[in-house]
């Protein structure tokens, strides 16, 4: 799946969405609708998806879910996940008819990742305006990040992802500065060329 050439060939019906700054429920419902239409959806940076409400309230809700299990045999479920990608996957699954073929096929078309895998670094990412917290949540309202909650309930990859994100930012910055200097050189060269072409004005 991570082979870049294979991904580019299959990109026609794909939506690559950067999860940063999106509201959990709104993004999940839009993803579910697109999946049922036959589209393939990839969600990146799932740890930066946001949930409306106070952090402590959302954390306690997650912790209360973790206590629910089958008394006679806990192996039968329900199963609760700690990593953000699986938490979001379960949220989307709840919005699909996953017990019939249509729903299971739709769920197979969904891919969710924490961070941005190397294969997607140079690919164009989308945002979903109808799910953006800055547009849909009233100013001043409390919200929490899915990654922060997951980190406090047992997810252990947060620091590793932050290091990888920092590395990606430094590589991108070097590329941008190199590109900027190259454009500057081209601009100055063109400016000098135009100046040479202008004929001197003769005052009679």
């Amino acid at each position: 799946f991570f082979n870049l050439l294979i991904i580019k060939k299959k990109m026609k019906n794909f939506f690559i969405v950067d999860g940063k700054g999106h509201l959990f429920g709104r993004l999940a419902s839009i993803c579910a609708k697109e999946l049922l239409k036959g589209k393939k959806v990839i969600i990146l940076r799932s740890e930066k998806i946001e949930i409306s409400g106070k952090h402590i309230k959302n954390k306690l809700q997650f912790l209360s879910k973790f206590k629910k299990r089958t008394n006679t045999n806990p192996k039968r479920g329900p199963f609760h996940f700690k990593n953000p990608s699986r938490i979001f996957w379960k949220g989307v699954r709840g919005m699909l008819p996953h017990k019939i073929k249509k729903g299971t096929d739709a769920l197979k078309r969904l891919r969710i990742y924490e961070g941005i895998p190397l294969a997607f670094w140079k690919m164009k990412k989308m945002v979903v305006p109808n799910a953006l917290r800055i547009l849909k949540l009233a100013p001043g309202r409390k919200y929490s990040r899915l990654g922060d909650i997951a980190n406090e309930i047992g997810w252990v990859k947060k620091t590793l992802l932050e290091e990888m994100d920092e590395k990606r930012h430094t590589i991108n910055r070097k590329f941008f500065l190199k590109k900027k200097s190259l454009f500057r050189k081209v601009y100055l060269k063109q400016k000098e060329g135009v100046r040479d072409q202008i004929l001197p004005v003769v005052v009679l």
Side-chain angles (χ1 to χ4, degrees):
F1 191 80
F2 283 106
N3 191 333
L4 194 59
L5 293 170
I6 294 168
I7 290 168
K8 278 186 176 178
K9 282 177 186 176
K10 295 180 180 179
M11 282 302 291
K12 205 171 185 181
N13 292 326
F14 267 75
F15 288 122
I16 301 177
V17 181
D18 187 358
K20 187 182 178 182
H22 289 78
L23 289 168
F24 187 102
R26 282 177 176 271
L27 185 60
S29 63
I30 290 162
C31 284
K33 201 166 186 178
E34 292 301 322
L35 289 165
L36 286 169
K37 286 178 184 175
K39 300 287 192 301
K40 295 171 185 176
V41 181
I42 299 169
I43 307 290
L44 307 175
R45 293 207 282 185
S46 60
E47 76 281 359
K48 293 191 178 177
I49 290 170
E50 292 164 356
I51 306 168
S52 58
K54 288 182 181 177
H55 176 81
I56 189 69
K57 180 196 134 194
N58 291 325
K59 184 188 167 184
L60 289 170
Q61 277 181 348
F62 273 97
L63 288 170
S64 69
K65 281 179 192 175
F66 272 80
K67 294 173 187 174
K68 291 175 174 65
R69 61 180 194 164
T70 306
N71 265 348
T72 51
N73 187 2
K75 285 181 183 177
R76 288 178 183 172
F79 304 107
H80 307 291
F81 305 110
K82 290 178 182 177
N83 50 332
S85 59
R86 294 301 279 173
I87 292 168
F88 186 73
W89 176 86
K90 203 174 180 185
V92 176
R93 190 190 71 170
M95 296 179 186
L96 292 168
H98 68 277
K99 292 188 179 183
I100 61 173
K101 193 177 186 301
K102 181 174 76 169
T104 50
D105 288 347
L107 205 56
K108 283 174 187 175
R109 291 192 285 272
L110 177 66
R111 293 282 183 276
I112 307 164
Y113 300 101
E114 286 110 13
I116 301 176
L118 190 65
F120 299 105
W121 274 21
K122 293 179 182 179
M123 287 189 186
K124 194 175 181 180
K125 288 103 186 158
M126 296 171 67
V127 293
V128 184
N130 285 337
L132 283 172
R133 190 257 312 161
I134 201 162
L135 297 177
K136 292 296 174 181
L137 197 67
R141 296 287 185 186
K142 303 279 184 185
Y143 66 93
S144 52
R145 278 212 175 107
L146 188 59
D148 295 338
I149 295 165
N151 187 50
E152 289 179 21
I153 61 173
W155 182 53
V156 293
K157 300 279 175 71
K158 191 187 173 188
T159 49
L160 178 68
L161 272 173
E162 282 172 356
E163 285 170 16
M164 286 171 71
D165 217 29
E166 192 62 41
K167 188 181 175 183
R168 185 174 59 83
H169 280 307
T170 51
I171 290 165
N172 287 350
R173 181 152 181 80
K174 279 178 185 175
F175 172 76
F176 171 73
L177 290 171
K178 192 178 177 182
K179 191 178 178 182
K180 194 179 174 182
S181 64
L182 191 70
F183 272 111
R184 182 75 182 158
K185 282 175 186 174
V186 171
Y187 169 73
L188 290 170
K189 201 173 182 181
Q190 284 176 349
K191 202 175 178 182
E192 282 172 12
V194 170
R195 198 180 293 162
D196 293 339
Q197 285 172 15
I198 295 168
L199 294 168
V201 178
V202 179
V203 180
L204 296 169

